[in-house]
Amino acid sequence: MTRADLLLTDCRLATMAGPEPYGAIHDGAILIADGRIAWVGPRADLPEHRTAETHRLDGRWVTPGLIDCHTHLVFGGDRSGEFEQRLEGATYEEIARAGGGIVSSVRATREASEDRLFASAMRRLEGLKATGVTTVEIKSGYGLDRDTELKMLRVARRIGREGGVRVRTSYLGLHAVPPEHRQDRAAYVDLAIDDILPAAHAEGLVDAVDAYCEPIAFSEAEVARLFDKARALGLPVKLHADQLSDGGGAALAARYGALSADHIEHSTEAGIRAMAEAGVVAVLLPGAFLMLRETKLPPIDLLRSHRVAMAVATDCNPGTSPVASMTAAITLACVQFRLTPEEALRGATVNAAKGLGLSDRIGTLEPGKAADLVVWDIERPAELAYWLGAPLLWRRYVGGLEA
Ligand code: NIG
Ligand code: FE
């Protein structure tokens, strides 16, 4: 007799595991016990069980909770003025080099209180939750001094406690050189690596270490120093790689066994091959591609032929991707990058879990995984990619509880 707290029944399941498209089970059921999936399969095979509660889902589709594995959700202010400048022809790099860009969000983030940062991030989080997100990665990187980087990461942890989602944090101290170090970037790199990272880690605020490797940001050598430090602290790494130019970021990420290399529009075949060999997940960020009106597509065919796992994320941030909808990211990945709807949903579930190092805990509907799941008012899973901005969510469960 299987003991369960909750039975979900009369539903169609996209388990994202198994050989069928979407790992689909067309008349399925799920038993949940202690926040985890105890059993999942065709309703006809439901084992004998005793359960406290039953939810009938009237034939709706259930997927794993969506995982947004790359966001900059916590920041002060907004950059809609720069958006207007770009519409008039200025480029992202020009604005950054003229002292705008990331640095202008740094000013606003330093000024904002923790409560204020929390409240503004929660508003954006509502958009993610309404589009099925149950786990979100949140980066620092708009503080660029010790106090503000730690403040951002504390806000991220608070979102994990109070926001109705699981949170993974990434320390992104090498995001930009802050204004006070413009004349002395080496001193900032030292500070970010030898002072801020250990301080944040000591407070338990860091799940992974990220960096922005780009001519307008940090060099391969600077990033390698950071990654050496992360390794010494036992922290996994990931990288904003080859977004605006080919800077060898994909290969660098592979050399360090990174969880993921993100953006990678400009990565070469050698870089992609290195990622495949090292098992690095490619995180595709179609929101940034859209908002920057990029034209250089990420090398999707190479990723497919080298069997690199592709994840999809919003990159929610005030500069390049003011996108607070996970289903919009899925749609954009299909329309712009030509992922199939199934590839895009894998990218928002099983592959995103891999990109966060959480494959054993979330990302599929399988026994033993957390009962993070989403019930959708759709007839076919492809609708998750097809609708842009339509409300499709019916209910979310995090750890087996309605959230
Ligand atoms: O992922 N590329 C660096 N970081 C962000 C942009 C940050 C910003 O412009 O504020 C990104 O696109
Ligand atoms: Fe980013």
Side-chain angles (χ1 to χ4, degrees), residues 70 72 79 92 101-102 105 142 175 212 240 243 263 285 288 315 317-320:
H70 180 141
H72 310 247
R79 307 233 294 276
Y92 181 69
I102 292 169
S105 292
Y142 292 118
H175 195 196
Y212 188 22
H240 284 74
Q243 179 190 9
H263 290 291
L285 302 168
D315 195 11
N317 79 68
T320 61

Side-chain angles (χ1 to χ4, degrees), residues 91 106 109 202 228 243 303 325 387:
T91 69
V106 169
T109 305
D228 286 333
Q243 179 190 9
L303 293 169
S325 162
W387 296 101

Side-chain angles (χ1 to χ4, degrees), residues 33-206:
D34 302 322
R36 289 168 190 274
I37 297 172
W39 182 89
V40 54
R43 177 154 57 159
D45 300 343
L46 191 61
E48 262 200 67
H49 60 276
R50 192 174 19 223
T51 184
E53 222 179 313
T54 298
H55 293 175
R56 284 177 207 290
L57 303 179
D58 297 327
R60 291 187 176 85
W61 277 92
V62 180
T63 68
L66 302 190
I67 300 166
D68 193 352
C69 68
H70 180 141
T71 86
H72 310 247
L73 198 69
V74 174
F75 55 84
D78 75 89
R79 307 233 294 276
S80 52
E82 291 180 8
F83 170 68
E84 290 178 299
Q85 281 175 267
R86 290 205 309 276
L87 291 177
E88 280 162 20
T91 69
Y92 181 69
E93 284 100 323
E94 282 163 8
I95 293 169
R97 289 191 198 282
I102 292 169
V103 164
S104 63
S105 292
V106 169
R107 262 178 249 121
T109 305
R110 287 178 177 177
E111 278 165 21
S113 69
E114 240 171 85
D115 281 342
R116 206 169 162 159
L117 287 176
F118 176 76
S120 73
M122 283 300 292
R123 278 187 54 208
R124 296 182 278 276
L125 184 69
E126 289 309 320
L128 298 181
K129 287 165 66 175
T131 53
V133 170
T134 54
T135 296
V136 60
E137 184 260 16
I138 302 176
K139 302 175 194 299
S140 70
Y142 292 118
L144 312 184
D145 62 28
R146 194 206 295 193
D147 286 354
T148 319
E149 286 292 299
L150 267 59
K151 176 171 74 173
M152 290 184 71
L153 291 166
R154 284 190 206 111
V155 170
R157 284 282 187 247
R158 181 172 166 199
I159 293 169
R161 288 191 304 272
E162 300 177 25
V165 286
R166 297 179 201 276
V167 167
R168 298 298 279 184
T169 60
S170 299
Y171 169 68
L172 180 56
L174 295 195
H175 195 196
V177 176
E180 65 276 15
H181 280 102
R182 271 211 138 173
Q183 306 312 321
D184 187 8
R185 64 181 285 128
Y188 178 67
V189 173
D190 289 346
L191 181 79
I193 296 175
D194 297 324
D195 180 310
I196 307 177
L197 172 58
H201 179 55
E203 260 194 51
L205 294 173
V206 184

